[in-house]
Amino acid sequence: MTKLAIIGAMEEEIIPLLLKFTDVKENNFASNTYYECKLGNLDVVIAYSKIGKVFSTLTATTMIEKFGCDTLLFSGVAGGINPDLKIGDLIIANKLTQHDLDITAFGHPHGYVPGGGVFVHTDEKLKNVALEVANENNIKLIEGIIATGDQFVANEQRKNFILNTFNADALEMEGASVAVVCDALNVPCLILRAISDTADMDAGFNFDEFLEDSAKKSADFLIKVVNKLNK
Ligand code: ADE
């Protein structure tokens, strides 16, 4: 690893990360701000993409193709589906899917388009480093399936569809698009999320209440992973 990309979707998701760095240089590109900083000898670029699959695709691609990042970590919040995931708990994706990608009219499964796959996998080594960090620090971290779509899910019906169709443990709005970019460009990636709500009718209210806290939990854990990678 020579240059590390760290992405969140929202400002709240990267502020706790930026606070860990001194000497941050701002670089504006493609209607966004990229924060360049250093951790020891390691170059780090941090940005929030804005919400959704399109903006996160743009940011991940920019991090890799323009800034030359060769490892990508995503930190943020998610809606929990797996009942073992309570608000504030952490999940790391072993694979991700786009739950709103739908050409089922042509006989294809949900999440599939020709040339792609229903699921995209994340990097095994990075995932194992995260699991080690959790173990060493006695932090609960669930490994599972994350479903991504351009929808804030706040109803049981959609949540159950995503559970039953993909066996997903959590859902959010950027992870799969970032993982698809990394997979295509051969850049190892890790997608980490802390639960802010459980994608039910209270999700909007809970999201507003727990966004900051859960974003910080994810960021604090991610920094532990970065420190371990940088040893
Ligand atoms: N991110 C956090 N909670 C979410 C939800 N309920 N739906 C989509 N993305 C989310």
Side-chain angles (χ1 to χ4, degrees), residues 3 7 11 68 73 80 83 91 100 116 123 130 132 140-141 178 190:
K3 199 169 191 181
I7 306 182
E11 194 171 15
L73 313 179
I91 175 166
D100 58 349
D123 185 71
E132 271 172 42
K140 178 180 174 189
L141 173 67
V178 168
L190 175 150

Side-chain angles (χ1 to χ4, degrees), residues 62 87 118 125 140 144 205:
T62 300
I87 289 174
V118 174
K125 275 195 214 136
K140 178 180 174 189
F205 177 83

Side-chain angles (χ1 to χ4, degrees), residues 77-79 149 151-154 171-173 193 196-199 203 207:
V77 301
Q151 301 166 349
F152 184 85
V153 178
L171 56 86
E172 35 83 310
M173 301 178 70
R193 297 280 187 172
S196 56
D197 60 85
T198 50
F207 181 89

Side-chain angles (χ1 to χ4, degrees), residues 83-188:
D84 279 351
L85 283 168
K86 310 291 182 214
I87 289 174
D89 286 349
L90 295 166
I91 175 166
I92 185 161
N94 48 25
K95 58 182 183 174
L96 302 99
T97 187
Q98 298 180 63
H99 68 74
D100 58 349
L101 188 56
D102 183 350
I103 55 163
T104 55
F106 299 94
H108 294 298
H110 284 280
Y112 177 86
V113 291
V118 174
F119 293 101
V120 57
H121 289 261
T122 54
D123 185 71
E124 194 76 20
K125 275 195 214 136
L126 288 174
K127 196 189 67 196
N128 286 336
V129 171
L131 290 170
E132 271 172 42
V133 167
N135 208 10
E136 286 164 8
N137 292 277
N138 219 3
I139 295 171
K140 178 180 174 189
L141 173 67
I142 285 184
E143 173 185 340
I145 299 172
I146 292 182
T148 301
D150 285 325
Q151 301 166 349
F152 184 85
V153 178
N155 71 79
E156 295 287 347
Q157 204 188 342
R158 184 69 193 167
K159 178 180 167 178
N160 286 333
F161 163 80
I162 294 168
L163 168 65
N164 296 331
T165 309
F166 303 106
N167 200 22
D169 296 285
L171 56 86
E172 35 83 310
M173 301 178 70
E174 299 83 18
S177 39
V178 168
V180 165
V181 169
C182 290
D183 182 58
L185 296 174
N186 275 318
V187 167

